[in-house]
Amino acid sequence: MSSYDNEKETLEIGIIGLGDMGLMYAKRMISHGWKNVNVCDRSENYEEFKELLKDSGMNVCRNGHAVSRQSDFIIYSVEAENIEKVVAEYGPSTKMNAIVSGQTSVKEPEIRAFEKHLPNDVHIISCHSLHGPTVDSKGQPLVVIQHRATKEKFDIVIRVLSCLESEFVKLSYEEHDRITADTQAVTHVAFLSMGTAWKTQRQFPWETPQYVGGIENVKVHMALRIYSNKWHVYAGLAIMNPSAKLQIQQYAQSVSDLFKLMIQEKEEEFRTRVKKAGEFVFGKSSESREPILLSDTILDKFSLSIVPKEKRKPNSHLSLLAMVDCWYALEINPYEHMVCQTPLFRLWTGITEYLFRNTEMLEAAICSALYSKDIRADDMEFYSASKGWAECVNIGSMQTYQKRFEDTAKFFESRYSDLRVCSD
């Protein structure tokens, strides 16, 4: 038996928190031969999970104390807003010289909680899979943060997490929070704003002519995918990451500034602003770069729309124009963060690039933004929605975020089956 095989037989792994990501991690570890995976959720859920996972190969424990006392490598898989409370409760029970990690989307409060509540002999190596639990982890970015640990302990973490078949990205926790703000927070709020605007309009976008086409297919599909997930997945990243707050505020400001120019039909100022931002992010039209996305024709195959392609109407693509304006204002180059790309960020950057690299499509969007009255109401609702989400994040209320999210999710609830068909 090799030393690696022996390690799989002897190393005790612990997972505290059996949400979607915690369960996904545990199942992958078991399937790749790790024999001792100790798991727990809240104490009141013990009997439920003990029955649910009785044939899984996992050792279901009553609480985090039991997991912490016996495990050599412990992962806290809890919501970012709860990490302080959970670590404060179970951290002091951590086994001597163990490794402790966390799976939260915001690392500053997680690291702070670890430093405050864990014994000094414990090694801190955090991680974050940059994708949701329903996405195949193979080839996806997996951030690892060697905050307070020896190389020997870090290597153990890499060997265990190799079961996910992800691409490791080594960062500091400060770098992680800045990059996830760049790649996730604004992307999420753009899709959230689209969904809220459609809900306010009482429209399913794939049933209206201006939301037909390759770019629109991605917008609709990704917005529905976000709203079909749990609200806290996005709330912690937006509200608890200071960098995210700044960027969300700028995105809302970019939407506002562009919308004001649109309704005043200030063509020269609007056109100049859009083109200047586009050149900063994507370069001049004569410059070449390998495109991120497939063609409009391919994307059409994944459409949810029942409207014939020939009946499409122009769209201002205000959400995309504002994204590029936001990147320009904050001097963010999205291509620098592709090493930490999420599926959502890659799609979002791809359709934005596709719009700005297609001279005819960009010109149609500019003209539509300035002069098409057919979509003015939609753009106004998007403007209002983006302001609302930015204010919600700035206030920092998880309850308000949850209510806004769930109100919109409920509107689309009956149509998530359409999304699943499209995904399949």
Side-chain angles (χ1 to χ4, degrees):
M1 180 182 291
S2 69
S3 58
Y4 182 45
D5 290 332
N6 184 61
E7 184 177 52
K8 286 186 173 183
E9 295 283 343
T10 58
L11 188 76
E12 296 278 347
I13 301 170
I15 296 178
I16 297 174
L18 291 176
D20 294 337
M21 288 301 290
L23 273 176
M24 187 272 283
Y25 265 51
K27 289 176 181 177
R28 289 298 293 268
M29 291 169 182
I30 291 291
S31 69
H32 280 70
W34 295 94
K35 302 299 185 183
N36 308 302
V37 180
N38 310 304
V39 301
C40 76
D41 201 71
R42 294 190 300 271
S43 297
E44 60 267 28
N45 297 333
Y46 171 64
E47 295 297 338
E48 175 187 349
F49 277 107
K50 187 175 181 180
E51 176 63 26
L52 181 67
L53 301 175
K54 62 182 179 181
D55 298 318
S56 66
M58 303 175 204
N59 174 31
V60 180
C61 301
R62 186 171 293 278
N63 54 43
H65 292 298
V67 171
S68 296
R69 285 176 63 82
Q70 65 184 308
S71 300
D72 303 300
F73 173 32
I74 303 151
I75 300 174
Y76 283 82
S77 187
V78 300
E79 297 92 339
E81 64 269 24
N82 294 328
I83 189 70
E84 166 78 21
K85 180 177 69 174
V86 177
V87 176
E89 182 173 2
Y90 301 130
S93 297
T94 305
K95 184 177 180 179
M96 186 176 290
N97 291 316
I99 305 163
V100 171
S101 186
Q103 243 282 34
T104 63
S105 57
V106 187
K107 292 303 176 187
E108 194 276 335
E110 177 186 286
I111 295 295
R112 188 172 65 241
F114 286 163
E115 290 181 337
K116 181 178 180 181
H117 300 293
L118 295 177
N120 291 332
D121 59 84
V122 171
H123 300 259
I124 301 172
I125 305 173
S126 194
C127 66
H128 183 201
S129 290
L130 297 179
H131 59 85
T134 60
V135 175
D136 184 359
S137 61
K138 185 174 183 178
Q140 299 293 344
L142 171 53
V143 174
V144 285
I145 300 168
Q146 187 177 354
H147 179 68
R148 189 181 80 191
T150 63
K151 183 180 183 303
E152 176 188 5
K153 297 293 187 180
F154 183 74
D155 290 343
I156 290 173
V157 171
I158 295 299
R159 289 195 294 273
V160 173
L161 296 183
S162 292
C163 68
L164 298 168
E165 301 179 86
S166 298
E167 296 292 330
F168 290 109
V169 180
K170 188 175 179 181
L171 298 173
S172 68
Y173 76 88
E174 297 96 339
E175 289 170 330
H176 169 276
D177 285 356
R178 178 177 57 82
I179 292 174
T180 53
D182 291 352
T183 58
Q184 296 188 58
V186 181
T187 306
H188 294 161
V189 85
F191 287 119
L192 290 170
S193 299
M194 289 178 212
T196 299
W198 294 328
K199 188 247 332 186
T200 304
Q201 291 278 78
R202 311 305 295 177
Q203 66 178 210
F204 296 113
W206 55 92
E207 296 177 352
T208 57
Q210 60 263 37
Y211 295 107
V212 181
I215 287 180
E216 300 303 341
N217 295 340
V218 173
K219 287 183 186 176
V220 172
H221 192 78
M222 292 299 104
L224 262 65
R225 182 169 291 279
I226 284 178
Y227 277 109
S228 68
N229 288 324
K230 296 176 181 176
W231 67 273
H232 66 76
V233 173
Y234 310 101
L237 173 62
I239 291 176
M240 299 183 71
N241 187 337
S243 297
K245 286 188 176 184
L246 170 67
Q247 293 176 28
I248 289 169
Q249 290 298 322
Q250 179 56 55
Y251 181 71
Q253 189 61 52
S254 291
V255 172
S256 178
D257 291 348
L258 292 175
F259 185 65
K260 289 173 185 175
L261 295 175
M262 289 161 54
I263 60 177
Q264 296 175 83
E265 297 184 358
K266 292 186 175 181
E267 179 174 351
E268 183 177 354
E269 189 175 348
F270 182 83
R271 187 181 292 276
T272 299
R273 182 162 178 163
V274 168
K275 292 293 184 69
K276 190 174 183 179
E279 287 185 3
F280 170 79
V281 176
F282 302 111
K284 297 184 182 297
S285 58
S286 59
E287 296 177 4
S288 61
R289 184 195 298 271
E290 185 178 349
I292 292 176
L293 269 185
L294 300 172
S295 69
D296 205 53
T297 304
I298 295 296
L299 292 175
D300 279 344
K301 294 180 180 180
F302 299 93
S303 177
L304 300 176
S305 179
I306 58 175
V307 179
K309 185 174 180 179
E310 61 272 12
K311 292 188 178 181
R312 292 179 182 175
K313 289 185 178 180
N315 190 317
S316 67
H317 294 302
L318 175 57
S319 61
L320 301 181
L321 300 183
M323 187 73 263
V324 176
D325 189 84
C326 174
W327 284 334
Y328 173 61
L330 296 175
E331 299 183 342
I332 292 172
N333 180 352
Y335 296 99
E336 290 180 353
H337 299 324
M338 282 299 167
V339 67
C340 286
Q341 62 182 297
T342 63
L344 272 179
F345 180 69
R346 184 173 179 81
L347 284 168
W348 183 240
T349 306
I351 60 174
T352 306
E353 175 194 77
Y354 187 69
L355 172 65
F356 275 80
R357 288 288 186 178
N358 187 319
T359 305
E360 183 179 342
M361 187 179 293
L362 181 60
E363 180 62 26
I366 290 173
C367 291
S368 180
L370 291 164
Y371 304 116
S372 176
K373 301 299 188 289
D374 289 345
I375 61 167
R376 192 56 50 83
D378 296 65
D379 287 334
M380 182 191 72
E381 293 295 355
F382 180 77
Y383 155 77
S384 298
S386 65
K387 279 290 187 186
W389 277 108
E391 289 171 4
C392 173
V393 169
N394 192 50
I395 291 170
S397 170
M398 289 288 182
Q399 292 77 15
T400 304
Y401 193 105
Q402 180 180 7
K403 187 177 189 311
R404 286 181 63 87
F405 186 98
E406 291 180 346
D407 283 351
T408 300
K410 187 174 182 180
F411 174 72
F412 291 109
E413 196 171 33
S414 64
R415 307 302 291 268
Y416 291 147
S417 58
D418 297 338
L419 176 65
R420 285 191 290 271
V421 169
C422 181
S423 298
D424 294 342

